[in-house]
């Protein structure tokens, strides 16, 4: 009970953060993960990519098989809404655990913890939702907690590392970041005894070895190396590109980074480990914006501790200045009455529920799917174009994989590590309309496509004499065929 | 109220009292007395070499696609004897009011071009860029840093700004922004009347480039930071009288900026670009930095190391922190603002690096006796001479000698296509690439040809930019946009989506092609346009022959 009372602010903030972390299926990859989960439940983990008619140059690694199976089960049981709630809980728990990784003696007051959690939730929100990466955020928060306890003298806590990494390696490839954080912790900390250091080293080695306990064995590591070294990836997947600071949410990321540096500069209560991990995460986020959520999680505890310490250290300075004299003239402030806190809490919980519940109903999930994915177009294709090869953009490829899990009619989706560089380049030939785009279409015997109505591929295909079979105004998609002829998009009927 | 004394040597902490001492000790190995001694000491030799070597990345042949329409505009101003109020280059923006915010630069370009072609323009802009870096150097020296921090910081700065350097009008703003920061800092530290130079500077600057607003912005940021420092009674603030006179100076500079052939509206002009989403999304240099690019990673390295130094030292003046913050935000928004980051933040980086090194140094270095002055002078002259010779031979002269019709330009601009069109006597309406409109305007506007778009995005307007983007991205209405505009010819780079699609479009016909460019005409009007036939490039020594014969992988970006 006293633990709850001590942490009521940060717990309240974690609850409020559910408004941000519970999200519909916004990440388009969720659809092929879902399809793969159902595939694994029916057939086991495949050896080769099972949905696409392209030749994937690498074997299927199944690096997220546990997440995929779990996702499929959850969606079967409670629909997309349940998956959204559970993953939102995981994300909020990750942020909460990151804040709770602050050692007791350094822990700032509740409002600072709550503010840091909510700011980080805002910054990370665009990269949360139903996606395997959220488990990696949770894993990193757990590693931070393990390191905190180890630095406080506990060695028993190190026993948690190996099982954590066994599970993590089967959920998401971000476990390598967790190992890196642990190694940085080992290098940056000064434990009481040499034995402490050796034990952490041994635990990291054991955790690293146990990551091999996965369906692909050592192949998982080569998969990760391929993914990180693939230069084409940033051409295809926006998340792997550097942040575009014209976006407001990335301005929030910038704001959090500036606040963090300011707090570090204004206080002496800093710890090298936290600073190094946050700085590395910031550098990683500049390289690929998908790492912004990683930064948000590791920055949250630093921001809370150092922000509070900086404020405390400089409050007197402000009071000495003219601002302080102005405040003194106004007289001391009275605190709010006791009932006020309870009322605020009630409003927050009600507001959170009001924000979350409408997102998780079946109707809301269906509407989101119909407006963000080519649902009606896929229904049209299922009825009229059964067995035809369908070209689409990479972000819709995963959705089509979930709608057409058999027959290998789908083009490419964002499991780029499996498809390999040659397939990606071939996709870019069409998507970027490189000179041989029409030849690739012909070579791959593609006669049908589901595309955003404004995509440049639509114009290109029209010049080849393709026609528009139907148009889905809700998702802004069109179904096109080489055989329907036409050369114009105007008279197309609705897909529904 | 206690007013701090002249704080010329101080790096004042904003950290609490518990923080490490905030005053950088004067360097034990600091520069000896006379100028000769300072220049010929080991540190002086190092700095002399560095300050000459930094000219290398600042110098190149002209790559800025906007240069060409600036040149043509300058020639037109000289011909007509006044500013142009409407656009003479396009067939799409003819009714748009034109604010020629760089008219004086354009006249300067035209005058130099008449005198000696591209060479004097390259030389002048290289010198201007270098002078900007010198201003950074002088501002950094206010804190008397050691030569290693000073030299290292200058090298890091010019490498960090590498994606931006080159002969272009923006370098004038870079140099004058550096000068503004230098004089502002000097005024706050030493007072005096030298800072009044800024008033004529702004008078000229507002006629040279609309970036003068950056200079006013820098002064404003410093002023607000100093006012805040006084409000909070922070140590290290400049004397109140100097801050007040800086405020008056800012007002004076603001007022003289309005003395412009375009009138006071010039002050609002830069906001049109900053506030235009179409411009920010279409123009590459307005994009955020791509940290996958190695040249941008150097900027990332400088940014991260500066943050680390500030965190470790916990000692920075509020005005410096404010300048760093403002330029970090700007440079993360748009890669072109990395130059502003370099201008404002390099002295802070140097001061911070020096402070860190001073603290790490456990004991002062012993002053070693210097060799005889003659020997040192010879060594200095040899070193500087060697760097200068290499710079001139390897960098400046090749950049100045790069001809407009050379392969260097032919691989980036439609040099050969423009030559082909020059043989056509009939005025054409040409749909062009955004970055090539300026070149085509320069080469073809004299014979009556008009382009769809060129690099003055504010003149073009958002509607036209969006329409252009729709065609460039081959959105479904691309063909209608082209025809509604009355386009006679589409001249685009090969290997672009538009070219790849038009090759298959049955109602457009290819009328010209070379390895860089391809041209299409509407099939129904192709013969009526009377276009020259496709040339065959076979003359030995000809640029277009070389372009056709050289495999793409063997084309080099080296000027000359």
């Amino acid at each position: 009970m006293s633990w709850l009372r001590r942490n009521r602010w940060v717990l309240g903030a974690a609850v409020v953060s559910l408004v941000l972390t519970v999200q519909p299926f916004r990440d388009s990859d969720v659809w092929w993960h879902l399809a793969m989960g159902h595939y694994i439940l029916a057939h086991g983990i495949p050896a080769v990519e099972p949905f696409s008619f392209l030749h994937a140059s690498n074997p299927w690694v199944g690096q997220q098989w546990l997440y995929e199976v779990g996702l499929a089960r959850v969606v079967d049981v409670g629909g997309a809404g349940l998956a959204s709630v559970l993953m939102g809980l995981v994300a909020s728990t990750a942020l909460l655990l990151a804040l709770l990784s602050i050692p007791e003696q350094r822990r700032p007051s509740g409002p600072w913890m709550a503010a840091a959690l909510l700011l980080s939730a805002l910054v990370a929100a665009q990269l949360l939702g139903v996606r395997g990466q959220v488990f990696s955020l949770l894993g990193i928060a757990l590693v931070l907690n393990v390191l905190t306890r180890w630095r406080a003298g506990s060695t028993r806590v190190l026993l948690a590392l190996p099982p954590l990494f066994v599970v993590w390696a089967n959920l998401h490839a971000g476990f390598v970041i967790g190992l890196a954080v642990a190694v940085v912790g080992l290098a940056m900390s000064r434990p009481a005894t040499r034995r402490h250091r050796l034990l952490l080293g041994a635990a990291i080695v054991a955790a690293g070895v146990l990551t091999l306990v996965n369906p692909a064995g050592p192949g998982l590591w080569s998969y990760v190396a391929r993914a990180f070294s693939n230069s084409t990836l940033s051409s295809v997947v926006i998340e792997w590109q550097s942040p575009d600071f014209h976006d407001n949410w990335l301005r929030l990321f910038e704001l959090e980074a500036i606040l963090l540096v300011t707090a570090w500069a204004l206080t002496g209560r800093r710890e090298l480990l936290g600073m190094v991990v946050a700085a590395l995460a910031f550098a990683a986020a500049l390289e690929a914006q998908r790492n912004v959520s990683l930064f948000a999680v590791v920055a949250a505890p630093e921001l809370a501790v150092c922000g509070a310490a900086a404020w405390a250290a400089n409050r007197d300075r402000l009071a000495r200045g003219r601002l302080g004299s102005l405040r003194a003239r106004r007289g001391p402030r009275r605190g709010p009455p006791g009932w006020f806190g309870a009322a605020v809490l009630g409003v927050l919980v009600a507001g959170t529920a009001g924000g979350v519940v409408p997102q998780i109903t079946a109707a809301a999930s269906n509407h989101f799917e119909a407006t963000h994915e080519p649902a009606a177009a896929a229904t049209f294709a299922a009825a009229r174009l059964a067995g035809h090869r369908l070209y689409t953009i990479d972000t819709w490829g995963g959705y089509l994989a979930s709608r057409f899990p058999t027959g290998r009619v789908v083009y490419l989706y964002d499991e780029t590590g499996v498809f390999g560089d040659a397939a990606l380049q071939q996709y870019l030939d069409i998507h970027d309309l490189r000179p041989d785009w029409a030849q690739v279409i012909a070579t791959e015997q593609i006669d049908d496509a589901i595309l955003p109505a404004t995509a440049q591929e639509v114009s290109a295909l029209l010049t080849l004499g393709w026609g528009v079979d139907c148009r889905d105004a809700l998702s802004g998609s069109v179904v096109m065929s080489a055989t329907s002829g036409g050369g114009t998009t105007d008279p197309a009927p609705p897909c529904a | 109220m206690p007013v701090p004394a002249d704080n010329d040597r101080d790096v004042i902490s904003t950290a609490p009292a518990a923080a490490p001492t905030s005053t950088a000790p004067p360097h034990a190995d600091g520069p000896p007395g006379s100028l000769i001694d300072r220049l010929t000491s080991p540190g002086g030799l190092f700095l002399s070499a560095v300050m000459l070597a930094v000219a290398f990345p600042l110098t190149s042949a002209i790559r800025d696609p906007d240069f060409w329409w600036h040149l043509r505009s300058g020639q037109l101003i000289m011909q007509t004897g006044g500013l142009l109020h409407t656009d003479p280059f396009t067939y799409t923006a003819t009714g748009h009011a034109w604010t020629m915010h760089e008219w004086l630069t354009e006249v300067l370009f035209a005058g130099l071009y008449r005198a000696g072609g591209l060479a004097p323009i390259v030389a002048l802009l290289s010198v201007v860029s270098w002078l900007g870096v010198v201003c950074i150097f002088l501002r950094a020296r206010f804190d008397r840093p050691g030569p290693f921090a000073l030299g290292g910081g200058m090298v890091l700065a010019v490498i960090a700004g590498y994606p931006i350097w080159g002969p272009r009008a923006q370098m004038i703003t870079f140099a004058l922004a550096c000068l503004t920061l230098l004089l502002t800092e000097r005024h706050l530290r030493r007072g005096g009347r030298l800072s009044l130079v800024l008033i004529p500077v702004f008078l000229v600057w507002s006629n040279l480039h609309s970036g003068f607003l950056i200079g006013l912005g820098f002064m404003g940021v410093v002023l607000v930071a100093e006012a805040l420092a006084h409000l909070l009674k922070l140590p290290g603030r400049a004397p109140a009288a100097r801050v007040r006179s800086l405020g008056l100076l800012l007002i004076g500079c603001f007022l003289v900026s309005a003395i412009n052939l375009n009138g006071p509206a010039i002050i609002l002009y830069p906001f049109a670009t900053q506030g235009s989403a179409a411009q920010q999304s279409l123009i590459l240099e307005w994009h955020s930095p791509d940290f996958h690019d190695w040249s941008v990673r150097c900027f990332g390295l400088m940014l991260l190391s500066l943050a680390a130094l500030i965190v470790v030292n916990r000692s920075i003046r509020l005005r410096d922190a404010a300048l760093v913050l403002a330029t970090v935000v700007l440079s993360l928004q748009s890669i072109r603002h990395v130059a502003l980051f370099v201008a404002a933040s390099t002295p802070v980086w140097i001061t911070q690096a020096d402070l860190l090194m001073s603290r790490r140094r456990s004991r002062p270095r012993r002053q070693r006796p210097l060799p005889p002055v003659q020997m040192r002078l010879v060594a200095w002259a040899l070193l500087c001479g060697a760097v200068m010779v290499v710079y001139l031979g390897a960098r400046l002269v090749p950049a100045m000698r790069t001809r407009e019709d050379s392969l260097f330009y032919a691989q980036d601009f439609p040099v050969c296509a423009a030559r082909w069109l020059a043989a056509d006597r009939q005025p054409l309406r040409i749909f062009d690439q955004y970055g090539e409109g300026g070149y085509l305007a320069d080469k073809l506007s004299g014979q009556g040809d008009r382009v769809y778009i060129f690099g003055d995005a504010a003149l073009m307007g958002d509607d036209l930019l969006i329409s252009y983007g729709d065609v460039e991205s081959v959105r479904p209405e691309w063909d209608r946009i082209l025809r509604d505009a009355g386009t006679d010819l589409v001249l685009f780079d090969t290997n672009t989506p538009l070219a790849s699609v038009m090759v298959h479009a049955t109602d457009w016909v290819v009328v010209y092609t070379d390895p860089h460019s391809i041209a299409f005409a509407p099939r129904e009007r192709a013969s009526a346009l009377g276009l020259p036939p496709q040339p065959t490039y076979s003359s030995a020594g000809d640029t277009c022959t070389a372009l056709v014969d050289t495999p793409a992988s063997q084309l080099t970006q080296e000027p000359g």
Side-chain angles (χ1 to χ4, degrees):
Chain A
M1 199 62 193
S2 66
W3 185 87
L4 279 177
R5 192 175 303 146
R6 263 202 329 273
N7 294 300
R8 64 187 184 280
W9 276 92
V10 72
L11 287 169
V15 170
V16 172
S17 74
L18 287 170
V19 173
L20 298 164
T21 58
V22 174
Q23 298 177 8
F25 283 7
R26 196 167 61 183
D27 176 30
S28 58
D29 286 352
V30 69
W31 296 104
W32 68 260
H33 284 303
L34 188 57
M36 182 53 69
H38 285 125
Y39 185 98
I40 294 170
L41 286 172
H43 310 289
I45 296 172
V48 293
E49 193 287 320
F51 305 128
S52 170
F53 59 83
L54 286 180
H55 171 69
S57 54
N58 300 310
W60 187 265
V61 175
Q63 46 102 8
Q64 299 190 50
W65 74 272
L66 193 53
Y67 160 64
E68 287 156 350
V69 168
L71 179 66
R73 282 277 189 224
V74 167
V75 171
D76 288 347
V77 169
L82 181 61
S84 295
V85 169
L86 290 178
M87 293 304 288
L89 283 170
V90 172
S92 289
T93 306
L95 288 164
L96 176 64
L97 284 176
L99 265 303
L100 294 178
S101 72
I102 302 169
E104 288 283 353
Q105 67 274 15
R106 291 185 78 213
R107 205 166 280 184
S109 62
W112 281 101
M113 303 256 286
L117 189 146
L118 288 176
L119 178 59
S120 287
L122 266 175
V123 170
Q126 296 288 326
L127 295 158
L128 300 177
V130 184
R131 52 190 302 168
Q133 198 187 358
V134 172
F135 284 110
S136 282
L137 299 180
L138 179 66
I140 286 158
L142 286 168
V143 169
L144 290 176
N145 274 274
V146 167
L147 287 174
T148 297
R149 292 183 180 217
W150 169 74
R151 295 169 86 192
S154 168
T155 51
R156 188 176 295 179
V157 72
L158 297 178
L159 293 173
L161 277 185
L164 168 65
F165 276 87
V166 173
V167 178
W168 194 351
N170 289 277
L171 281 168
H172 189 252
F175 70 89
V176 290
I177 299 171
L179 280 175
V181 170
V183 169
V184 171
L186 179 66
M188 297 287 164
S189 305
R190 290 182 183 165
T193 64
R194 191 161 176 266
R195 180 174 162 274
H196 262 67
R197 186 181 290 272
L198 283 174
L199 284 174
L200 177 58
I204 293 171
V205 171
V209 170
L210 284 172
T211 59
L212 301 177
V213 182
N214 74 81
L220 179 62
W221 279 88
S222 57
Y223 168 87
V224 173
R226 271 202 310 274
F228 278 107
S229 60
N230 188 341
S231 58
T232 314
L233 206 56
S234 60
S235 316
V236 179
V237 187
I238 290 174
E239 268 189 22
W240 287 90
Q241 293 170 1
S242 290
D244 176 2
F245 287 97
H246 295 90
D247 281 352
N248 286 333
W249 77 273
L250 285 162
R251 283 290 184 199
L252 273 176
F253 156 63
E254 187 181 24
L255 173 70
E256 185 169 33
I258 288 170
L259 286 176
L260 187 58
V261 171
T262 307
W264 280 338
L266 288 175
T267 178
R269 291 194 69 195
R270 310 165 304 186
E271 281 200 338
L272 189 58
L273 173 60
M275 291 202 298
V276 169
V277 170
L280 291 174
F282 179 72
L286 286 184
E287 181 93 3
Q289 56 182 280
R290 62 183 271 122
N291 295 320
V292 165
S293 57
L294 168 68
F295 171 79
V297 168
V298 299
E302 285 297 307
L303 193 58
V305 172
C306 298
W311 173 251
N314 291 279
R315 197 170 33 196
D316 295 342
R317 181 195 297 266
L318 289 174
R320 282 199 303 273
R322 286 185 192 167
L323 289 179
S325 58
L326 287 175
R327 185 181 294 170
R329 244 177 269 156
R330 283 206 305 265
R333 275 189 302 182
R334 280 188 210 156
W339 55 265
F340 185 75
V344 168
L345 190 64
V347 169
L348 288 180
V349 171
T352 304
V356 169
V357 170
Q359 292 190 45
I360 59 175
T361 61
S365 300
N366 291 338
H367 179 72
F368 190 88
E369 179 183 341
T371 50
H372 288 75
E373 308 292 343
T379 303
F380 178 91
R384 309 272 184 86
L385 305 171
H388 290 214
R389 292 182 164 193
L390 295 168
Y391 170 79
T392 192
I393 55 172
D394 61 311
T395 47
W396 279 0
Y399 180 74
L400 293 189
S402 77
R403 295 294 301 269
F404 305 102
T406 58
R408 288 190 174 275
V409 298
V410 179
Y411 194 60
L412 175 138
Y413 50 95
D414 282 338
E415 181 51 308
T416 47
V418 169
F419 282 104
D421 206 45
L424 284 175
Q425 290 297 340
Q426 192 200 61
Y427 166 67
L428 290 176
D429 284 344
I430 304 176
H431 183 60
D432 291 347
L433 298 178
R434 292 172 178 170
D436 57 343
W437 68 273
Q439 193 184 338
V440 176
I441 293 264
T443 308
E444 290 296 335
Q445 299 171 341
I446 300 169
D447 288 329
D448 302 278
I450 294 178
L451 288 164
T454 55
Q456 56 188 12
E457 291 103 314
V458 172
S459 313
L461 292 170
L462 288 172
T463 63
L464 289 187
W466 287 39
V468 177
D469 291 337
C470 74
R471 177 186 292 270
D472 173 25
L474 213 51
S475 65
S477 59
V478 291
V479 178
M480 298 185 74
S481 295
T483 50
S484 61
T488 174
T489 58
D490 288 339
C495 294
Chain B
M1 188 178 69
V3 174
D6 186 339
N7 51 12
D8 200 9
R9 294 186 181 185
D10 293 348
V11 176
I12 302 301
S13 172
T14 57
T21 176
S22 60
T23 306
H27 276 271
D29 56 346
S34 75
L35 178 65
I36 289 179
D37 280 347
R38 286 206 302 262
L39 278 176
T40 58
S41 67
L45 284 172
F46 171 65
L47 287 177
S48 301
V50 164
M51 286 311 292
L52 289 173
V54 294
F56 279 76
L58 300 174
T59 306
S60 72
I62 291 166
R63 294 169 186 272
D64 178 22
D66 291 340
F67 167 78
W68 305 101
W69 65 263
H70 285 309
L71 176 62
R72 184 66 189 148
S73 300
Q75 290 168 340
L76 289 175
I77 293 171
M78 290 174 77
Q79 278 173 21
T80 58
L83 298 192
L84 310 174
H85 297 292
T86 53
D87 156 40
F89 302 138
T90 72
Y91 61 97
T92 47
T94 45
H96 299 191
W98 196 4
T99 305
M100 301 191 80
H101 67 101
E102 297 174 62
W103 73 270
L104 193 52
T105 303
E106 286 157 354
V107 169
L108 189 66
F109 283 176
L112 289 170
Y113 185 80
R114 186 192 285 173
L118 296 179
I121 300 173
V122 170
L124 176 74
L125 289 175
S126 299
V127 170
V128 165
S129 307
W130 183 76
L131 288 174
V133 175
V134 170
C135 287
I136 296 175
F137 176 84
L138 294 175
R139 187 170 142 237
R141 285 190 71 237
F142 279 128
D143 283 326
R144 306 269 172 89
F148 188 72
L150 187 52
M154 295 309 299
V155 170
L156 182 61
V158 292
I159 294 175
Y162 188 73
I164 303 302
W165 307 136
R168 54 196 306 203
Q170 198 195 344
M171 287 300 104
I172 295 172
T173 277
F174 165 73
L176 293 178
C178 295
L179 178 66
T180 303
L181 288 167
L182 172 67
L183 293 177
T184 302
E185 186 66 27
R186 189 188 178 283
H187 174 76
L188 291 176
R189 288 171 185 256
R190 297 181 184 167
R193 294 183 178 174
L194 187 62
S195 56
L196 291 176
V197 170
L198 283 173
I199 289 183
V201 164
F202 271 90
L203 177 63
V204 178
W205 191 356
S206 69
N207 289 276
L208 283 168
H209 193 257
S210 63
F212 69 94
L213 212 65
I214 298 287
L216 294 175
F218 279 160
M219 290 172 75
V221 166
V222 169
L223 194 64
V224 169
E226 283 300 308
L228 200 60
H230 276 273
L231 197 65
L232 300 176
K233 295 184 177 173
L234 294 179
R237 60 191 185 276
R242 290 181 197 164
V243 177
R244 277 196 295 273
S245 55
L246 179 64
L248 291 174
L249 185 62
L250 174 60
I251 292 170
C253 292
F254 181 82
L255 291 176
V256 297
S257 298
I259 302 172
N260 188 292
L261 290 190
N262 291 289
I266 193 73
I267 290 168
L268 297 177
Y269 176 83
F271 293 105
T273 300
Q274 275 289 345
S276 164
Q279 292 181 46
Q280 304 258 339
S281 64
L282 180 68
I283 305 171
L284 282 178
E285 67 175 14
W286 286 98
H287 290 187
S288 288
D290 175 7
F291 288 92
H292 294 93
D293 181 345
W294 277 103
S295 62
V296 176
R297 280 182 180 161
C298 293
F299 158 63
L301 177 67
M302 186 171 177
L303 179 69
L304 290 175
S305 58
L306 178 59
L309 288 167
I310 291 171
V311 167
V312 170
N313 289 326
R314 300 184 57 213
S315 177
I316 184 170
R317 286 182 207 91
L318 191 58
R319 60 175 181 267
D320 286 343
L323 284 172
V324 168
L325 184 63
T327 53
V328 164
V329 169
L330 284 171
S331 56
L332 286 178
Q333 184 186 22
S334 299
I335 181 79
R336 66 181 270 133
H337 293 323
V338 168
L340 301 179
F341 171 78
V342 168
S345 302
T346 303
V348 185
W349 191 98
I350 290 168
T351 301
Q352 294 290 324
D354 187 63
L355 191 56
L356 182 70
M357 284 193 273
S358 302
R359 288 175 178 179
R360 298 279 166 190
R361 199 176 295 146
S362 55
R363 55 185 174 185
R365 280 188 202 150
R366 274 187 307 153
Q367 194 82 47
R368 291 182 185 163
L370 295 173
V373 68
Q374 292 88 346
M375 190 185 294
R376 285 186 279 132
L377 275 174
V378 169
W380 182 84
L382 281 175
L383 180 67
C384 294
V387 177
M388 277 300 288
V389 166
V390 175
Y391 166 70
L392 290 172
R395 205 75 191 177
L396 183 61
V397 172
M400 289 172 67
R401 290 178 61 185
T402 304
R403 295 195 332 266
E404 291 167 63
D405 59 350
S406 65
L407 190 57
F408 176 81
Y409 286 115
Q411 59 189 301
D412 286 336
F413 292 98
V415 171
C416 301
R419 196 197 288 178
W420 166 69
L421 283 171
D424 175 45
R425 293 280 155 231
Q426 193 175 338
L428 292 172
R429 298 175 160 212
I430 304 168
F431 184 90
D432 57 294
Q433 287 204 185
Y434 177 81
E436 294 177 352
Y439 183 85
L440 293 173
D442 179 43
K443 301 301 172 199
L444 301 173
S445 65
Q447 64 185 49
D449 291 341
R450 295 287 178 268
V451 294
Y452 187 91
I453 198 166
F454 71 97
D456 195 333
L459 169 65
M460 299 298 109
D462 281 7
D463 290 344
L464 186 62
L465 288 171
I466 291 167
S467 295
Y468 168 79
D470 285 345
V471 179
E472 186 193 40
S473 305
V474 211
R475 298 261 160 70
E477 60 276 20
W478 67 272
D479 188 81
R480 181 186 56 74
I481 294 171
L482 285 175
R483 289 178 187 278
D484 286 355
T487 303
D488 297 320
L489 192 79
V490 174
L491 178 61
F492 238 62
D493 285 6
T494 55
N495 302 336
T496 54
L498 182 62
S500 300
V501 168
M502 291 188 77
V503 163
H504 297 280
T506 51
D507 42 2
W508 291 85
V509 59
V510 177
V511 290
Y512 171 84
T513 181
D514 68 46
H516 177 271
S517 307
I518 187 166
F520 303 88
R523 184 173 292 278
E524 73 278 7
R525 289 197 289 131
S527 53
L529 289 172
L531 294 164
Q534 164 79 39
T536 50
Y537 296 117
S538 55
S539 316
D542 177 54
T543 295
C544 297
T545 306
L547 183 69
V548 170
D549 292 344
T550 310
S553 59
Q554 290 178 21
L555 288 173
T556 170
Q557 286 292 319
E558 289 301 312

